[in-house]
Structures are given as structure tokens and as C-alpha cells.
């Protein structure tokens, strides 16, 4: 239901205030205000104004602005006050239902693994094991436990299968007039953008605008643009303004400034209390053994050790993912995600709430590993690396693993990808479809992993700059379509899915920005 804009605004303000009231920023501001009372420039007769001025000049007002900006970026705009909470999670009932049954399936798979292997989902580690784990915390990669019996809970293609079977029950077969012509694998009618709309949204990627990641722009000599861009970037950092940083990274981040700019956009400052929080998660890992620990271990071994880029970060990956699996603050994001966290109980304590362990809702750690690994290039301090990953997860990556109608959700991305191909490369689309090589079967894994593990790292970071800059994952679908466009000539010659996969097997030489630019701004619409 629509509501008058003022009402919406006041709801938003009320929610942000409520969320910030319990935060450490709130207590810091109070403390600062009290301290300021002893300053000579604060006069009793103009107390309120003087304290406001003091908070402004001492940089606290900026911190508050960034916190508000961060809230607005993460949480959806408020629904009608009478809307039930599940509508905030996901407005479409059939999507909620599909997500629910997908979660049940994952949990069933976990539980049956427990039964088969006769291990509990969660148990306390014996003291000697705790000590041992603590001693080798920074070199967990040296362990070689036998994990042959553990199997991944699901593979991307299982998830794709579920998405292909989604249907809107309000439409019987083929009744959706605008949608009848969609010949892709995704058969739900969601509104996705066309190229003119995408051009408008991604206007900063235009051909006449300087970009990091484009070596031979006709307009601006790259080195001139780069020097100027670095100078502006340093200024943005000095200002400590999240909104400005987000606008800035749309043209790419200079390598030396990227770690700080991303942290500023995500509003991560690594305060003492954040470091303490990380240490608490670590001690939870040391004390309790979860079934997922073995799954994480197995996936890290498979992923990192087979990847020349990432194997050096193996120890970081264990630390971040084991802590992540214990982090209940991540549960907050389930108020606006279509997912609901499964619970399990520590053995012998069934039904006692405080012993409940929330299972991370996506037990496909393989994709997680690939979303942590690139961050290891930027952050070397475990608690900061951890916070950045957690924030990237609750803002973006969770949408790639849950079924929803959100424009950045995986269902919309699949549909956007298929629609772009069918509209702008119809011959290629029909050809691949005829030979049984539906394009989405190839591109799905790229999008689900946000291209991590497929692109060269420098290119991946340039792509993720834009995810942060536009606060959207839609660019993943655009890039996937652009890759097909780029390899179209070769793909027109293949006669099987295997041959099409071979043409697209190696993306490590691709340059992301030119591909996106050509596809968005040089395609005739």
C-alpha cells in the first residue's frame, strides 16, 4: 500500500533513531557532549547550539551522518505500518514459500549427514582440543583431517534447478502477456531494467567519463585521470564522508586507497569494542565444535588449495568463516531477508534457548570462501577483515543465496541476464537454446559467486568497487551478458553445452570495465 511521503519519512527516521540508540556511537556522543560542558566556549545561555557546534567541529557529526547513511543503505524503506513483518522480509508469498522449502531442504541434508556420520550439529570441545586449536589458530591450514565423508550441502546447479522451477501461482501457463516471449530458464514475472534504464543508473560508467580500469580512453589520457582521481580520493578520505566515498568509487578505486575507501563506505572503523567482539567469536569457535566447521574446512581446502591466488590466505579464510558461523549479529539481517535462520541445539540441551546455535542459513561455504578471499588482498588484520566481510555479506552477498523478488536478488539477476541476452543478442540466445546450452546454465555460477574465482583479482576488485558504489548487484548480470556478447562470434559456432562452456571456461584475461562500457553504451538499443 502506498503512503504519503511524509509518513514514510517519519517512519524511516523513527527506525534509524531506534537502531542507533543502542549503539556504541550513541554512548560515545553522550560522553563527548558531557566532556564538552567543561570547555570555555560552551555557554549556558546557548548550551544546545554550542554543543551542536562542538560536535560538528570535533568530527562527531560526520560519524553520526555516516551511521545514518549506513542504516539507510542496508535496511529497506519501511512498509506500511500495518504490513505484517513477513512482508518486510519478502512481499511475494510464493517467493517466501520457495525460500522456506529450500531452507528445509538444506537443514534436512545437514541433519541426515549428522545421522549418517553419527556426529551432532554442535558440541562442546574437550579442554585439550580447545588448547590445541588455540595454539594453531594462525596456521589451521597445516591440519589434514579426513573429511572424505563430508559432502557439500548443495552445489550451485542444485540451487539453479530450484530457481528454474519457481512459478507465480496467479498465472496459469503462458497467461502472462508481457512474459510469454521470455524463453529463458527463469519463469517468474519480475520487473527488470532494460538497457536505457541501466545506462541511466550506471551513467558514471559512460564512454566520456574517466574510469579506473580503462587503459585507452580516447577522451582523457589515463595517467592524467589517475593522478587527479587519486588526489580527489585522498580528499574524500580526509573528509570521512561515506556518501561521498560511495559516489567516488563508481569510477573505480586507486589500489592504494581501496581498503580505506571501502571501509568508509561500509562504515567500519574497527573500534576496540569491535576487536573485542571478534575475540568473543573466536573463543566461541575454540569452545564449541559445529558440524559446519568440517564443511568449512573441506571447502576451504578444495577452493583455496586449488587456486593460485587464494591459497596464501588459507589461514585467514578459516578464521573469518569459523567466526562468521558463530556470529548471531548477522541474524539482524533476517528481518529484511527472505531467509529465516535455522536453529540447532547443543547436544543434551534440547529446547533450552540459550544453548541454541543458529545455523548460518547458507551452508554453501564454497561461495563464502570466494567472497572472503579477495578481501584478504586488502585487509590483513583479522578483526577488520572479518567486519568488512560481514558487512559485505549483510549488504550484498546474502542476496545471491536466497530466493526473493529484490532487484539485487539472484532471481532478478538471472532474469535480467536472460532478458538482456534475448533482447540484444537474439541470434546468439536462440542458437544456444537450440543446442541445449541455455546461457544461464553457464553464467549462474559466475553471478552466485560475484565473479570471484573467475576474474583476475585486480579486475574483480574494480567490479566490486562498482557494487559498493551503486549499492546494487545488478552489475553482475550486466557483466555476465557482456561476456557472452564479447565471445559471441565463437559461441555462434558451438554445437553443444560442453563446447559453449569451453569457450567461456577462462575469464581470467578479461578486462571488466571495457566490457561493461561497450555492452551498456555502445550496444544499439
Amino acid at each position: 500500500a502506498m503512503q504519503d511521503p511524509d509518513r514514510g519519512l517519519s517512519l524511516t527516521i523513527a527506525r534509524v533513531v531506534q537502531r542507533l540508540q543502542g549503539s556504541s556511537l550513541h554512548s560515545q556522543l553522550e560522553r563527548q557532549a558531557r566532556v564538552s560542558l567543561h570547555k570555555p566556549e560552551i555557554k549556558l545561555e546557548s548550551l544546545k547550539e554550542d554543543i551542536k557546534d562542538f560536535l560538528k567541529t570535533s568530527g562527531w557529526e560526520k560519524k553520526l551522518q555516516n551511521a545514518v547513511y549506513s542504516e539507510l543503505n542496508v535496511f529497506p524503506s519501511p512498509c506500511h505500518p500495518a504490513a505484517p513483518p513477513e512482508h518486510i522480509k519478502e512481499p511475494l508469498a510464493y517467493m517466501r514459500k520457495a525460500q522456506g522449502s529450500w531452507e528445509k531442504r538444506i537443514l534436512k541434508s545437514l541433519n541426515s549427514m549428522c545421522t549418517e556420520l553419527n556426529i551432532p550439529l554442535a558440541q562442546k570441545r574437550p579442554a585439550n582440543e580447545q588448547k590445541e586449536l588455540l595454539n594453531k589458530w594462525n596456521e589451521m591450514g597445516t591440519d589434514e583431517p579426513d573429511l572424505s565423508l563430508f559432502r557439500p550441502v548443495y552445489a550451485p546447479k542444485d540451487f539453479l534447478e530450484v530457481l528454474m522451477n519457481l512459478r507465480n501461482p496467479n498465472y496459469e501457463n503462458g497467461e502472462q502477456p508481457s512474459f510469454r516471449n521470455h524463453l529463458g530458464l527463469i519463469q517468474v514475472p519480475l520487473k527488470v531494467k532494460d538497457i536505457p534504464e541501466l545506462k541511466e543508473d550506471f551513467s558514471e560508467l559512460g564512454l566520456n567519463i574517466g574510469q579506473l580500469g580503462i587503459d585507452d580512453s580516447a577522451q582523457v589520457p589515463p595517467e592524467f585521470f589517475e593522478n587527479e582521481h587519486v588526489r580527489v580520493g585522498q580528499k574524500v578520505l580526509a573528509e570521512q564522508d561515506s556518501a561521498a566515498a560511495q559516489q567516488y568509487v563508481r569510477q573505480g578505486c586507486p589500489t592504494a586507497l581501496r581498503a580505506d575507501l571501502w571501509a568508509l563506505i561500509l562504515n567500519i572503523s574497527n573500534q576496540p569494542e569491535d576487536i573485542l567482539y571478534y575475540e568473543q567469536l573466536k573463543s566461541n569457535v575454540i569452545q564449541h565444535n559445529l558440524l559446519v566447521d568440517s564443511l568449512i574446512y573441506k571447502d576451504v581446502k578444495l577452493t583455496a588449495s586449488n587456486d593460485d591466488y587464494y591459497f596464501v590466505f588459507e589461514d585467514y579464510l578459516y578464521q573469518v568463516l569459523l567466526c562468521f558461523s558463530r556470529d548471531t549479529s548477522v541474524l539482524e539481517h533476517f528481518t529484511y531477508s527472505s531467509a529465516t535462520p535455522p536453529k540447532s541445539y547443543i547436544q543434551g540441551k534440547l529446547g533450552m534457548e540459550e544453548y541454541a546455535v543458529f545455523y548460518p542459513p547458507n551452508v554453501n561455504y564454497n561461495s563464502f570462501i570466494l567472497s572472503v578471499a579477495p578481501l584478504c588482498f586488502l585487509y590483513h588484520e583479522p578483526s577488520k577483515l572479518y567486519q568488512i566481510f560481514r558487512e559485505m555479506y549483510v549488504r550484498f552477498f546474502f542476496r545471491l543465496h536466497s530466493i526473493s523478488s529484490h532487484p539485487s536478488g539472484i532471481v532478478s539477476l538471472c532474469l535480467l541476464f536472460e532478458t538482456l541476452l534475448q533482447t540484444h543478442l537474439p541470434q546468439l540466445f536462440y542458437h544456444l537454446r537450440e543446442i541445449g546450452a541455455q546461457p544461464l546454465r553457464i553464467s549462474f555460477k559466475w553471478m552466485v559467486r560475484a565473479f570471484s574465482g573467475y576474474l583476475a583479482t585486480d579486475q574483480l576488485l574494480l567490479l566490486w568497487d562498482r557494487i559498493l558504489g551503486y549499492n546494487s548487484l545488478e552489475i553482475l548480470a550486466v557483466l555476465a551478458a557482456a561476456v557472452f556478447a564479447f565471445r559471441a562470434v565463437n559461441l555462434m559456432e558451438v554445437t553443444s553445452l560442453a563446447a559453449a562452456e569451453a569457450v567461456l571456461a577462462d575469464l581470467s584475461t578479461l578486462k571488466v570495465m571495457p566490457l561493461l562500457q561497450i555492452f551498456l553504451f555502445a550496444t544499439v538499443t
Side-chain angles (χ1 to χ4, degrees):
M2 286 308 292
Q3 51 192 13
D4 68 274
D6 293 350
R7 170 98 185 120
L9 182 63
S10 58
L11 278 171
T12 304
I13 292 171
R15 193 194 54 209
V16 170
V17 167
Q18 186 199 344
R19 289 193 40 86
L20 292 178
Q21 259 169 348
S23 68
S24 64
L25 177 64
H26 184 240
S27 44
Q28 285 172 323
L29 283 168
E30 283 190 330
R31 196 162 55 239
Q32 286 300 321
R34 278 200 299 276
V35 167
S36 74
L37 294 175
H38 304 300
K39 296 193 171 300
E41 63 271 26
I42 307 259
K43 305 278 185 282
L44 203 54
E45 53 275 18
S46 52
L47 187 64
K48 203 171 172 180
E49 292 313 307
D50 289 357
I51 289 182
K52 270 191 193 160
D53 288 343
F54 167 74
L55 291 175
K56 193 177 262 169
T57 51
S58 57
W60 284 95
E61 188 187 50
K62 225 9 151 327
K63 290 193 164 100
L64 181 59
Q65 277 173 359
N66 290 344
V68 170
Y69 189 69
S70 170
E71 289 294 329
L72 295 175
N73 261 325
V74 176
F75 287 92
S77 49
C79 295
H80 189 278
E86 65 269 18
H87 280 226
I88 301 173
K89 291 168 84 70
E90 165 57 58
L92 300 178
Y94 74 93
M95 289 279 188
R96 289 200 299 271
K97 199 171 154 191
Q99 173 64 21
S101 49
W102 173 239
E103 284 165 10
K104 283 199 187 84
R105 194 175 136 185
I106 292 176
L107 204 55
K108 196 172 160 187
S109 167
L110 269 177
N111 282 323
S112 67
M113 204 176 338
C114 293
T115 317
E116 274 168 51
L117 303 177
N118 193 19
I119 359 183
L121 273 172
Q123 60 183 354
K124 211 165 165 53
R125 294 186 205 270
N128 59 338
E129 236 177 74
Q130 292 189 25
K131 198 170 167 185
E132 195 186 338
L133 181 55
L134 192 56
N135 289 337
K136 58 168 197 225
W137 180 255
N138 291 319
E139 45 206 58
M140 284 188 263
T142 53
D143 246 18
E144 293 288 344
D146 175 22
L147 299 170
S148 51
L149 297 168
F150 290 92
R151 54 169 192 274
V153 184
Y154 69 91
K157 60 175 186 296
D158 305 325
F159 190 32
L160 176 58
E161 219 50 53
V162 172
L163 304 186
M164 283 161 48
N165 291 316
L166 282 174
R167 293 291 179 277
N168 181 340
N170 301 340
Y171 295 105
E172 281 317 308
N173 290 343
E175 259 181 40
Q176 304 142 235
S178 62
F179 201 72
R180 192 177 303 142
N181 317 332
H182 183 78
L183 299 171
L185 298 175
I186 298 295
Q187 290 297 318
V188 287
L190 297 174
K191 164 104 181 69
V192 294
K193 293 175 182 157
D194 56 19
I195 284 197
E197 290 171 296
L198 289 165
K199 274 182 173 162
E200 199 174 310
D201 283 357
F202 295 114
S203 60
E204 292 84 353
L205 307 184
L207 298 169
N208 51 358
I209 291 178
Q211 293 294 331
L212 289 187
I214 293 204
D215 303 330
D216 45 3
S217 153
Q219 268 57 33
V220 191
E223 53 287 352
F224 173 74
F225 168 71
E226 264 173 51
N227 296 338
E228 182 53 19
H229 195 56
V230 168
R231 206 181 57 76
V232 176
Q234 287 162 337
K235 211 173 147 194
V236 167
L237 280 174
E239 282 290 313
Q240 280 300 299
D241 181 328
S242 300
Q246 189 168 31
Q247 180 63 42
Y248 172 84
V249 303
R250 292 176 175 190
Q251 290 171 271
C253 271
T255 310
L257 307 181
R258 183 176 278 118
D260 291 337
L261 283 162
W262 284 17
L264 177 55
I265 294 169
L266 298 168
N267 201 26
I268 299 291
S269 50
N270 210 22
Q271 299 291 325
E273 64 264 26
D274 300 316
I275 297 169
L276 185 68
Y277 184 73
Y278 174 78
E279 289 300 326
Q280 283 167 341
L281 293 174
K282 174 176 163 180
S283 74
N284 193 323
V285 175
I286 305 277
Q287 287 165 23
H288 296 107
N289 183 5
L290 303 187
L291 167 75
V292 283
D293 296 356
S294 303
L295 298 175
I296 289 173
Y297 216 90
K298 180 160 190 167
D299 268 345
V300 170
K301 278 273 177 252
L302 287 172
T303 311
S305 46
N306 293 334
D307 192 306
D308 300 343
Y309 277 118
Y310 295 156
F311 82 98
V312 288
F313 300 128
E314 200 182 349
D315 299 316
Y316 276 149
L317 296 174
Y318 293 121
Q319 293 173 15
V320 169
L321 291 166
L322 289 169
C323 286
F324 186 67
S325 68
R326 309 304 199 271
D327 191 345
T328 50
S329 78
V330 173
L331 298 174
E332 272 197 349
H333 100 97
F334 292 110
T335 51
Y336 60 92
S337 148
S338 60
T340 306
K343 269 186 199 176
S344 73
Y345 293 92
I346 291 181
Q347 243 189 347
K349 309 273 185 196
L350 196 63
M352 290 170 64
E353 270 310 301
E354 63 270 32
Y355 287 101
V357 180
F358 282 95
Y359 256 68
N362 304 315
V363 208
N364 180 2
Y365 286 102
N366 184 281
S367 303
F368 276 4
I369 291 160
L370 289 167
S371 44
V372 180
L375 302 173
C376 298
F377 282 96
L378 303 180
Y379 303 98
H380 308 297
E381 204 269 299
S383 78
K384 183 141 191 195
L385 168 66
Y386 178 73
Q387 289 169 68
I388 297 278
F389 166 67
R390 184 180 68 189
E391 197 57 31
M392 291 287 279
Y393 174 80
V394 300
R395 281 196 194 196
F396 305 112
F397 297 140
F398 81 92
R399 299 201 183 280
L400 299 173
H401 310 274
S402 44
I403 301 171
S404 80
S405 58
H406 192 280
S408 277
I410 190 66
V411 185
S412 296
L413 299 183
C414 292
L415 190 54
L416 175 57
F417 163 76
E418 291 192 322
T419 311
L420 287 171
L421 274 195
Q422 190 179 332
T423 315
H424 298 286
L425 296 158
Q427 278 177 298
L428 176 65
F429 186 82
Y430 293 118
H431 168 65
L432 291 172
R433 191 170 168 263
E434 285 309 295
I435 61 165
Q438 276 274 20
L440 184 60
R441 290 202 181 275
I442 301 171
S443 67
F444 184 72
K445 56 187 182 297
W446 306 339
M447 295 191 288
V448 146
R449 295 177 176 154
F451 282 91
S452 177
Y454 297 104
L455 296 171
T457 305
D458 63 321
Q459 295 301 308
L460 183 72
L461 295 172
L462 287 165
L463 175 66
W464 286 13
D465 283 341
R466 276 68 182 195
I467 290 177
L468 282 155
Y470 290 101
N471 197 35
S472 156
L473 292 164
E474 287 161 308
I475 202 156
L476 298 175
V478 179
L479 180 60
V483 171
F484 274 75
F486 181 64
R487 299 260 165 97
V489 175
N490 303 40
L491 288 169
M492 283 306 287
E493 292 169 9
V494 300
T495 52
S496 68
L497 174 61
E501 283 182 319
V503 169
L504 295 163
D506 180 14
L507 309 186
S508 64
T509 56
L510 295 183
K511 296 271 183 258
V512 166
M513 293 321 296
L515 280 187
L516 284 169
Q517 271 196 341
I518 291 164
F519 186 76
L520 278 177
F521 294 93
T523 302
V524 179
T525 50

